[in-house]
Structures are given as C-alpha cells and as structure tokens.
C-alpha cells in the first residue's frame, strides 16, 4: 500500500509536535533555579593582603583594630584573630598625586612605593567619592546635582578630632558651598557607629543639600586599573581587576542578594526607599496610577555585603534617619566599574509648586529642608557569620537588645495557626450613589470557621473586611455603622464570643490610610503635600469603579480613628484588631497649622499601637511598629525581582522568627502549588486565605475586584491540603530558635533550629539524600538530632 505524501507530511508534523511537547515537558519538569531561589554560596575569594603603611592607629577594641589615613579619609579595620581587613573607602590615589609622587621619588624603592595602580574609570570627583567617609549631593540654581566629598582634593577641608576613647569626630567643611557637617565616629568591638546631629549641620549650603552619603565603597568589588611600567616610565594598558566573589544584600521584599558580576551590559542600579515613598514629599502632589501594582520597598533600614564564601562582610542598619534613607546598590557598569552599596539620607528634593487650580506651577526645592538626626551602625562579620544569615541574626540581636523585638511571642504550645480573612462587603455604582454588595454575613463567618475546625484545621485567626455599611471602600474608618444585611452589633458580639469559645481569634480589619470623598470631607482629613495642596491619586482607566480618586489621611486622623475603633472593638468582644494602610505607608503632612514630619509620624504611630487595648495584627508593618505587632500579615516571600537581583532569601523571616506570628500572602492567588507550600515551610510563614461565602464575581464591579477567587466552597479542600502540609512540617519546630539556613544543593535547603531540630526542603523533582536520609522530590523532611520524625 502506497502512503500518500500528504499522510507522510501529517505524520512528520504530528511527530514533531509530540517531540516538542516531550522536550518542553522534560525541561519544565526539571528544577531550573532562578532569582526566586537561593543559589549555592559564592566560591572562596582571594582577598587582598593589606598593610597599614600610611595609617595611624586609632585604637584597639578586643579583636578589632582601627587605623586612619588622613590624606585619603580612610578608616582601616583589622580583625586581629584572622587577619581580615575592611576599608571604609576604596583607598585609591588621585591621578595628579601619582604623577607628583613618582616624579619626586629619589630611589627605585621610593618609585616602587609611589607607583600605585591608577584607577582608570574614576575621575578626581569619583576618586574623592570612592574614598570618602562622607559625601553630600547638592543642587545648583537650575536643579542640576553635583557631589562633594570629605576626601575631595579641592573645596573641602576635613579634620579628624578625638573626643574620647573610641569617639572621634570628622569635621568636614565644604568651603565652596558654605556647608559644615560634623560626623561623629564611635568605634567598638563590633564595628563603627556614625552619627550626624541636625543642629551640627551649618552654613547656607545646607538648604541646597540633596542628600548625605556615608562610606559608599565599603566592601566594593571590581575596577579597571593601569599599572606602572618602570621600563617605559608610563602607565600601561587598562586591565580589569578580577571580580571578587560576593554579593550585596538589599531588604527588598523578603530579601534579595545581588551577586558581584562582570556585567557586559549596563544595568540600572537598585534604589530602595526605606518605608516606601512618602507621597507628601514626592515631586508632584498627584498620581495618575492609583491602583497600579507597586514595587516592593524596604520595611527595615538594613543592608549589607559579603565577600567570598563565609570569609568577611558587614551588616549596616540605621537607628535614626531611616525614614529618609535610601539604600542604593550600583552594579558594575560603565561609569565606575565597581559593585558597591551605600545609604543615602535625603534632605531635599525638587517639587512642583502649583499656584492655581489649573495645575500651573514651577519647580523648586522644599521650602525648608528636612531636619533629623542620623545614626547608622556597621557591624563587621567574619567566618560563618559573613553571609546573609549572619547579617539577619546580627540585626535581630540588635533589635532585641534595644527592645524593638520581643522574643518568645510564638510559643511551642499548640499547632500552627491558619489566617482566614473574610470579605463581607464592598460597594458598587448604583443609579443613585452606591449600593452594598454583600458576599459574607456574620453568620456565614461562624459557619465557615466551624466547618474548617471540623475539617482538621487546628487553629484559626482572621480579619473581617467590609463589616459595615459602605463596605471596604467607603465604610467609615472611625466607627461601626452596622447594617442588618451584613450583621448588627449584636450579631458581631455573638460572633466574637462563639468563635472565641472555639479557640478562634476574629478581628475587624480596617484601612486607616486610604480615604475618598464619599467617606468624608477630604480637606479636613487628607494629608497635604510640601507644596500645600491636598494629595490625591487617580485611576483613569477603570471608569466603572465607584471610587476612582483617592487621597491619604493625615497621620493625626489615622491615629485617632485606630484608637476609637480599637476601643469599640474591645467592647464588642474582639480578641485583636487588624490594621493596614498606616502599617506599611509612612506619610508626613504639611498643613498650615498641624504639620507633622515623617519622624514625628513614626513617634505618633508607635505610641498609638503601644496604647491599643487589643493585640495588633498588621499588614506588612514597617520596622518601627514591630515591637507592638502580634501578627505580621501578608509577609513577602519574594522581592521585586529586578534583573540585577540574583537570589531571593528569607532575611525578613530570619529577623522576625519567634517574635511574632508571620503569615504568607493569600494562597488563593496562585500561591498553593507544591513549591509554594515548600516555600512557606522554608520561610517559616503560616498559610493564609481570603474568603467569601458567595462567589467572587459579585465583587467585579467594586473596588475589591482584585479578589477574583474567594468562594469558600472552592477552596475548602485546598485549605485543608495546604494547612496539613505546612502544619506537619512547622509544628515540630514551633517556638524553637531558627539558627541557620544552608543551601545543600541547587534547590535543596537545610534549615536548622535550636535543640537539634532541622528541616530539609527539596524543591527539585529528584530525590535528595542528606546524611543517609532520603528526602522525596518536592517535599520536606523534619529531623530531630539527625533522625527523621
């Protein structure tokens, strides 16, 4: 029988399709590590041997000795036990200094000493910046920005003055701009603390100061150099410095590493605004992307760097000034050819000053620069502490010592809890005004909790969103305007009592930050921009939504609303209160009468939470609220995933572990795959869901349309599966101290806890053997003293 060409053609095409599908399935079945994972540590580094010639001894403090080189403004730190050294700057010579020193040399030995390598890509300004302990960025009259450094050759005078044992002060005079800054330097057995007091910033140039930068090239790596040829008497060709293995840590989301690499293309630097962007101090008082997905911002003022594999590094954190701090990491690129990370403290910005309702205006700097003190610590790490885990544990210890974190809040008693938030209602547009869309009644919440407990869930806590007339979007944040369609005051009182009797903790959940004109009179309640106009943000695309334009509450109003609702919730029998908006958004208010700075807002919110009659559940709270946070909700488990970020790490979780309960992002929205469950186990976060009794499509015409899949019946079995797996792994280590995290192989993690407990997490599709114990593909094994439980 003859086969037609058409049949042959179809067979070939069919075979090709099957082959492609097979190859694709084979590829995607394998574990392919990417920047959402933690990779194997960098290799050992050949660290530079540094001598102390040209340095004067400042002092010795246990294992650390400190030296200073005045002509380059460098502090050298030496670990007297293992010989590791750090320099606060690059310690690079200025080109003109090199030429003069070589010309002045009388002997060959003097010429050899004078002929240091020349930094190719750094001009005089950048050499001063790279060496400096302190640099300032300055605006000129047309808002161009320039930089001046304490190590600059021109226009700057620096003098190091000894104040006391271990206390020095660097007096820096920027002569050309009439600015003096005094940098206090405190040396100790742990590291260096820098302080700048606002009342010691002097001169007319202070009003032009954009920012202060401290020690930008500590643990920098890279560079391109020329070496002196003694035969020709000239510097030779440009030679790239071999890249030192290592990484910078940035607190983006859960935490991210940026490995030091030789990039062949220019990559934008990372800039993280600690505690997020302050809309009251942005360039414009309005924003046309109100509901856009925002990039993650640091919730803690900490960063660090490590060189080699468990060799040396540092962790740095700000105790004062964090509210105006940016964390900047510059990858190796065409400007400097170095990887480096540093803190940038902002004092002034360019803003648009509007002078009429048409929005016409002009650009200017802040009417008054920001005023605050700076205190930042650099903690030096060596050996097994010189990695992101060591950075996290050092920062955690610091917070505990300063009573910012309280250990022991999470006990070993009981099982792992589940977080279930309930969307009770929101509003949609109506023929006249708005209409409530009710998706969960008070009675429904009780029934769902009762069902989950009988379905094997050991412990439950949850928040009630949209519990009053007006729902999530237009309900009043200061009171309880209950409606029978959702639940009366009596209904909620019974709900709290009956669920508490079952061991469940329910709370009202409220946004105290985002407001709109349907809710309230905006001019009396909204925060005002530096240009004295009320802040607003608008969504110009989803015109069907009942609220398209929002504003943000001034801090005094938010604090008052929270306090009033917390007391009323306690009267109704709630066991806790859930707050969001103000927990992860730091805002100032520049009204004509009741202005409040970001620093004062921090003090206000700290006191407000401290005085709460109920424990506080907070959504992604900033660090200054951690002392008074009982549950950390929506804990990030990924960073923003910029292209330069190479690894994701649970730095935040390592810092907070055991000081509060931490809950993962809602599992409803594609966070319930097996690898997601393993990430919850790996990151020590508990599962959470957001639920409704009715189908989620009812919310599609409300501002809560982002909750597109919430119906309890759909997730009933998924909730049990996710909870059972996470609880089985994390319950045995509940209440134990998390002491280390190691990458055993690509996709295989070992978490170690106190009292000999450990968990091996295998993200791969292949079985992994650890000390003779088989850990199945896509599974976790809990160990006690090296044996499986």
């Amino acid at each position: 029988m003859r086969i037609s060409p058409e049949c042959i053609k179809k067979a070939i095409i069919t075979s090709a399709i099957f082959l492609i599908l097979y190859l694709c399935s084979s590829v995607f079945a394998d574990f392919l590590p990417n920047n959402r994972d933690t990779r194997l540590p960098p290799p050992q580094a050949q660290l530079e041997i540094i001598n102390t010639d040209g340095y004067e001894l400042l002092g010795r403090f246990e294992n650390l000795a400190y030296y200073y080189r005045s002509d380059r403004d460098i502090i050298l730190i030496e670990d007297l036990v293992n010989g590791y050294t750090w320099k606060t700057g690059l310690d690079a010579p200025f080109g003109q200094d090199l030429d003069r020193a070589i010309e002045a040399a009388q002997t060959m030995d003097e010429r050899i000493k004078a002929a240091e390598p020349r930094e190719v890509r750094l001009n005089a300004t950048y050499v001063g910046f790279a060496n400096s302990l302190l640099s300032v960025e300055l605006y000129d009259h047309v808002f161009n920005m320039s930089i001046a450094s304490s190590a600059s050759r021109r226009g700057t005078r620096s003098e190091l003055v000894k104040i006391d044992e271990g206390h020095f002060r660097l007096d820096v005079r920027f002569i050309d701009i009439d600015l003096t800054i005094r940098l206090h330097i405190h040396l100790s057995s742990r590291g260096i603390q820098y302080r700048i007091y606002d009342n010691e910033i002097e001169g007319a140039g202070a009003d032009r100061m954009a920012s202060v930068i401290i020690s930008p090239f500590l643990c920098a790596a890279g560079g391109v150099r020329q070496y002196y040829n003694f035969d020709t008497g000239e510097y030779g060709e440009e030679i790239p410095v071999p890249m030192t293995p290592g990484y910078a840590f940035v607190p983006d989301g859960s935490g991210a590493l940026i490995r030091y690499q030789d990039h062949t293309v220019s990559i934008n630097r990372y800039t993280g605004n600690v505690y997020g962007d302050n809309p009251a101090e942005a360039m414009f008082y309005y924003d046309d992307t109100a509901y856009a997905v925002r990039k993650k911002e640091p919730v803690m003022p900490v960063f660090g760097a490590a060189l080699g594999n468990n060799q040396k590094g540092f962790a740095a954190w700000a105790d004062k000034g964090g509210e105006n701090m940016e964390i900047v990491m510059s990858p190796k690129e065409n400007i400097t050819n170095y990887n480096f990370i540093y803190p940038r403290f902002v004092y002034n910005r360019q803003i648009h000053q509007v002078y009429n309702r048409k929005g016409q205006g002009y650009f200017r700097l802040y009417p008054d620069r920001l005023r605050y003190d700076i205190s930042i610590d650099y903690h030096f790490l060596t050996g097994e502490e010189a990695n992101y885990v060591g950075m996290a544990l050092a920062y955690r210890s610091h917070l505990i010592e300063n009573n910012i974190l309280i250990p022991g809040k999470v006990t070993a008693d009981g099982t792992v809890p589940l977080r279930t938030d309930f969307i009770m209602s929101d509003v949609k547009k109506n023929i006249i005004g708005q209409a409530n869309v009710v998706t969960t009644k008070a009675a429904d919440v009780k029934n769902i909790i009762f069902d989950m407990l009988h379905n094997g869930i050991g412990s439950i806590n949850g928040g009630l969103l949209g519990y009053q007339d007006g729902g999530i979007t237009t309900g009043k944040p200061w009171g309880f305007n209950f409606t029978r369609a959702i639940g009366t005051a009596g209904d909620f009182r019974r709900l709290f009592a009956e669920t508490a009797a079952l061991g469940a903790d329910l709370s009202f959940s409220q946004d105290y930050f985002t407001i709109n004109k349907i809710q309230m009179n905006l001019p009396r309640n909204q925060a005002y921009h530096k240009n004295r106009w009320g802040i607003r943000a608008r969504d110009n695309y989803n015109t069907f939504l009942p609220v398209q334009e929002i504003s943000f509450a001034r801090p005094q109003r938010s604090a008052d609303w929270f306090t009033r609702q917390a007391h009323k919730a306690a009267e109704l029998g709630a066991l806790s209160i859930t707050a969001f908006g103000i927990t992860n958004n730091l805002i100032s208010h520049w009204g004509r009468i009741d202005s409040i700075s970001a620093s004062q807002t921090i003090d206000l919110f700290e006191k407000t939470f401290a005085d709460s009659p109920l424990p506080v559940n907070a959504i992604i709270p900033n660090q200054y609220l951690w002392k008074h946070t009982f549950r950390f909700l929506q804990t990030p488990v990924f960073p923003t995933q910029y292209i330069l970020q190479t690894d994701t790490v649970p730095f935040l979780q390592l810092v907070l572990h055991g000081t509060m309960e931490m809950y993962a992002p809602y599992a409803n929205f594609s966070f319930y795959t097996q690898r997601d469950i393993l990430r919850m186990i790996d990151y020590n976060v508990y599962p959470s869901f957001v639920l409704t009794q009715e189908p989620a499509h009812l919310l599609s015409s409300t501002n809560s349309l982002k909750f597109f899949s919430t119906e309890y019946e759909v997730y009933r079995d998924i909730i049990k599966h996710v909870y059972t797996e996470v609880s089985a792994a994390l319950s045995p280590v509940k209440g134990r101290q998390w002491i280390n995290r190691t990458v055993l192989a690509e996709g295989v993690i070992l978490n170690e806890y106190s009292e000999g407990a450990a968990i091996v997490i295998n993200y791969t599709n292949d079985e992994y053997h650890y000390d003779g114990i088989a850990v199945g593909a896509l599974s976790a094994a809990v160990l006690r003293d090296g044996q499986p439980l």
Side-chain angles (χ1 to χ4, degrees), residues 283-297:
M283 180 175 287
F284 299 99
Y285 76 96
Y286 57 86
D287 179 7
D288 288 332
T289 59
Y291 297 109
V293 176
R294 304 294 177 182
K295 66 185 180 74
K296 295 178 174 66
E297 296 286 10

Side-chain angles (χ1 to χ4, degrees), residues 260-286:
Y260 291 169
Q261 302 180 44
D262 288 308
H263 294 290
T264 57
V265 296
S266 180
I267 296 178
N268 290 336
R269 67 184 187 178
Y270 166 83
T271 301
N273 297 308
V274 176
Y275 307 145
D277 294 321
N278 182 348
E281 296 169 8
M283 180 175 287
F284 299 99
Y285 76 96
Y286 57 86

Side-chain angles (χ1 to χ4, degrees), residues 36 637-638 664-673 675-677 679-680 685 722:
R36 294 163 69 95
V637 292
F638 296 108
Y666 292 137
N668 307 50
F669 310 113
S670 302
F671 193 67
Y672 53 80
T673 68
R675 285 197 174 101
D676 295 327
I677 293 171
R679 186 172 292 262
M680 293 183 211
V685 293
V722 172

Side-chain angles (χ1 to χ4, degrees), residues 62-249:
E62 297 182 12
N63 295 335
L64 294 182
Y66 296 87
Y67 305 85
Y68 181 64
R69 181 166 180 167
S70 58
D71 62 328
R72 294 184 186 169
D73 198 23
I74 301 284
I75 294 177
L76 185 150
I77 304 96
E78 180 184 15
D79 189 311
L80 300 174
V81 175
N82 53 37
Y84 288 136
T85 57
W86 299 260
K87 289 183 179 180
T88 56
L90 192 59
D91 200 3
F94 288 88
Q96 292 180 345
D97 291 352
L98 279 177
D99 296 336
R100 284 194 293 264
I102 294 171
E103 187 176 340
Q106 299 297 314
T107 66
M108 179 55 72
D109 288 343
E110 290 178 350
R111 290 187 73 193
I112 292 173
K113 185 176 181 180
E116 297 179 72
R118 183 194 298 270
E119 292 289 339
V120 175
R121 301 295 176 87
L122 303 183
N123 59 22
T125 298
Y126 264 95
V127 168
F129 176 72
N131 286 343
S132 69
L133 280 169
L134 183 144
S135 294
V136 294
E137 291 179 308
L138 302 141
Y139 289 106
D140 63 16
H141 66 285
V142 292
F143 309 118
N144 293 320
M145 197 178 292
S146 61
I147 193 165
S149 303
S150 57
S152 296
R153 273 289 177 265
R154 298 178 180 176
T156 303
R157 296 290 182 271
S158 298
E159 181 183 7
L160 188 69
V161 180
K162 184 172 182 178
I163 305 299
D164 204 345
E165 188 66 27
H167 179 192
F168 297 82
R169 190 184 70 219
L170 185 69
D171 295 339
V172 186
R173 291 179 57 219
F174 301 98
I175 300 168
D176 295 342
I177 55 176
D178 186 21
L179 175 64
T180 298
I181 299 178
R182 294 175 174 85
L183 177 67
H184 291 261
I185 304 170
H186 298 267
L187 311 178
S188 72
S189 60
R190 295 182 176 181
I192 302 178
Q193 180 186 73
Y194 299 105
R195 289 184 178 180
I196 297 175
Y197 300 101
D198 189 75
N199 59 9
E200 292 184 348
I201 299 176
E202 301 170 349
D207 292 332
R208 295 168 47 199
M209 185 171 62
S211 71
V212 164
I213 294 169
I214 294 175
S215 190
F217 268 63
L218 176 63
C219 276
V224 177
R225 294 174 180 170
Q226 292 175 309
Y227 295 87
Y228 190 75
N229 187 320
F230 289 95
D231 294 330
T232 64
E234 295 178 348
Y235 277 88
E237 62 183 23
E238 298 180 4
I239 300 176
V241 178
M243 181 58 64
T244 304
Y247 53 76
F249 158 73

Side-chain angles (χ1 to χ4, degrees), residues 711-726:
E711 188 178 358
Y712 174 63
E713 281 303 317
V714 173
Y715 286 97
R716 185 178 185 273
D717 293 337
I718 294 175
I719 291 171
K720 181 177 181 179
H721 170 69
V722 172
Y723 176 81
T724 300
E725 290 220 16
V726 174

Side-chain angles (χ1 to χ4, degrees), residues 614-627:
L614 295 172
V616 180
N617 314 306
I619 293 181
I620 319 178
N622 289 328
Q623 182 251 46
Y624 50 84
L625 297 176
W626 288 354
K627 180 178 180 179

